[in-house]
Amino acid sequence: MGSISRRRSPVHKVVIEADRCSSEEVRKIVSGLPFLQGLAEADLIAISARFRQIGFAAGRTIHLAGSPAGRLSVVAEGTVKLLRPTLDGHDVLIDFLNRGEFFGNLTGAPGERNSESAVAHTSVCLLAVGVSVFHSILERHSSIAVRLLALTAQRLNGAHDMIRLLSARPVERRIASALLRLSERLGQPGTEGNLIQLPLSRSDVAEMVGTTAETSSRVMSRLEASGIIETGRRWVSIRDRDKLVRAAKG
Amino acid sequence: MGSISRRRSPVHKVVIEADRCSSEEVRKIVSGLPFLQGLAEADLIAISARFRQIGFAAGRTIHLAGSPAGRLSVVAEGTVKLLRPTLDGHDVLIDFLNRGEFFGNLTGAPGERNSESAVAHTSVCLLAVGVSVFHSILERHSSIAVRLLALTAQRLNGAHDMIRLLSARPVERRIASALLRLSERLGQPGTEGNLIQLPLSRSDVAEMVGTTAETSSRVMSRLEASGIIETGRRWVSIRDRDKLVRAAKG
DNA sequence: CGGGGGATTGACGTAGCTCAACCCGAGTGG
DNA sequence: CCACTCGGGTTGAGCTACGTCAATCCCCCG
């Protein structure tokens, strides 16, 4: 069936030198941010100037849960993952954030603490502002708060979706739902179905749906054997969305 | 051990006639809303006037997931539960909302749809505004958006906590965590430890942590036998928080 | 070429889902 | 005020999904 044996990961690889993003596009990215739409050109330029860029190599920790939330960060390039530590030590993978999505201190309130750890899943470039600066921006341009509110409500919605997903009981249902969710958020239609644009290991999936890497491997092998997905080392592509939806229902 | 045999539920019972809340306190409640703090007296009064009160008897559906999100509602009295329908039909209990908490269309954007069903868990009194009115309030008093943003960020935080909780694996851990969460949000210190101020059945707990009513019953019996909680028909009280925390760790 | 991280696969034991019977307490209607 | 009913809770007996431990393989990268 089809051409399964694609050797290399089809996921586009993000490479950024350790401490720099490509400088030229910063302004463009900032201006393109969803929560800054509708501002006057002059304001946009002023605001852009307040963001600093920071790069992280894949795997580096951006900040730890519990640390003081000193800034708001926006993903300019690459993927960040948010992890929340459990009471018994290890981490739960809460979400992946891609270009344009933000994390850290959303409200501009001083004294907050990060409630999750942020880790560079690929190498990433971030645009960041300190809380106090961000707070003053919010005060000045209140329309931003309205837009941020909408985006945060959307994120809340996504989190509730995750909660729903996690209460499904046969693990296969959880995994199928998780893959659907990811492919909706990050999927790119291509020749071979819908590739999830993100390096995604079995353990990543496991940490997302609350199971073990072994079980996740078994389930995904099964899904692949049924022609529902196509997968390799750290990548997954949806081959038959309808069947995947059916698997998510049970 | 102690006086287990408390016959009647110690949870304070909310009774409201079917279609009305006690009218007098509406203004007071609206003025006390966290996201309206700091407004001028005159504005507060004007805004209060836009809220209408609606009562629901326990068990009635306030709105269904998928229906047009025509208003923002605030809980004035009683408890509302939010349910999200799963792909295979039944519902997942996402959260309980008590006095002062809001649900529905947070952003004032027209055309949105409710992403979860809201059900009166006890009899409730709601204060509601239509989206368009709410939108105009937001436009006019932008500080409200900033506060709403903070509250929504907090809710997002709570949802992420729920996600973490749900990935814990022995069911006992999930249930212990869920009870802790509830008691932090709703607990009231009393003679017999920390009572969760909310009618809470075994199935409620089950729907929250993604298990069955039977298992939840077994686990809670075990917890009671170990002197960790005290529980009866639709109520739960924490007797030994430390041990409960230990149970949540595993 | 060697090392390491990702993935697969097997064997085994148990947590917990399912089905089912049963009890109890609280409303409700006569 | 009693009887009935119904929803909530408990408990038991299987059966299986899946967690655990362990061995092996295979890319990828240095």
Side-chain angles (χ1 to χ4, degrees), chain B residues 53-151:
Chain B
Q53 45 174 314
I54 321 173
F56 288 89
R60 307 314 301 278
T61 296
I62 297 165
H63 64 237
L64 286 173
S67 59
R71 59 191 186 210
L72 173 83
S73 306
V74 181
V75 180
E77 190 68 51
T79 307
V80 169
K81 61 180 169 185
L82 297 183
L83 302 169
R84 186 166 284 225
T86 62
L87 292 176
D88 68 321
H90 64 75
D91 285 334
V92 171
L93 175 40
I94 300 283
D95 208 355
F96 289 109
L97 304 182
N98 274 341
R99 161 177 294 177
E101 299 184 290
F102 48 84
F103 62 98
N105 189 322
L106 275 59
T107 64
E112 258 184 45
R113 303 198 151 257
N114 291 306
S115 46
E116 31 246 331
S117 306
V119 172
H121 186 231
T122 65
S123 53
V124 293
C125 169
L126 302 181
L127 300 174
V129 270
V131 265
S132 58
V133 172
F134 184 58
H135 189 67
S136 68
I137 294 179
L138 270 187
E139 295 276 283
R140 210 179 219 288
H141 308 280
S142 56
S143 71
I144 296 181
V146 177
R147 287 170 194 282
L148 269 181
L149 173 59
L151 290 170

Side-chain angles (χ1 to χ4, degrees), chain B residues 7-62:
Chain B
R7 300 271 130 209
R8 324 208 43 162
S9 165
V11 175
H12 174 256
K13 196 167 176 187
V14 180
V15 184
I16 297 164
E17 303 112 68
D19 272 321
R20 266 284 171 59
C21 325
S22 82
S23 167
E24 48 197 46
E25 300 210 349
V26 174
R27 164 93 38 95
K28 186 152 64 160
I29 288 174
V30 170
S31 331
L33 290 177
F35 58 90
L36 294 183
Q37 291 319 296
L39 289 185
E41 188 65 18
D43 290 336
L44 263 183
I45 292 178
I47 291 175
S48 296
R50 314 304 297 267
F51 279 82
R52 273 175 313 128
Q53 45 174 314
I54 321 173
F56 288 89
R60 307 314 301 278
T61 296
I62 297 165

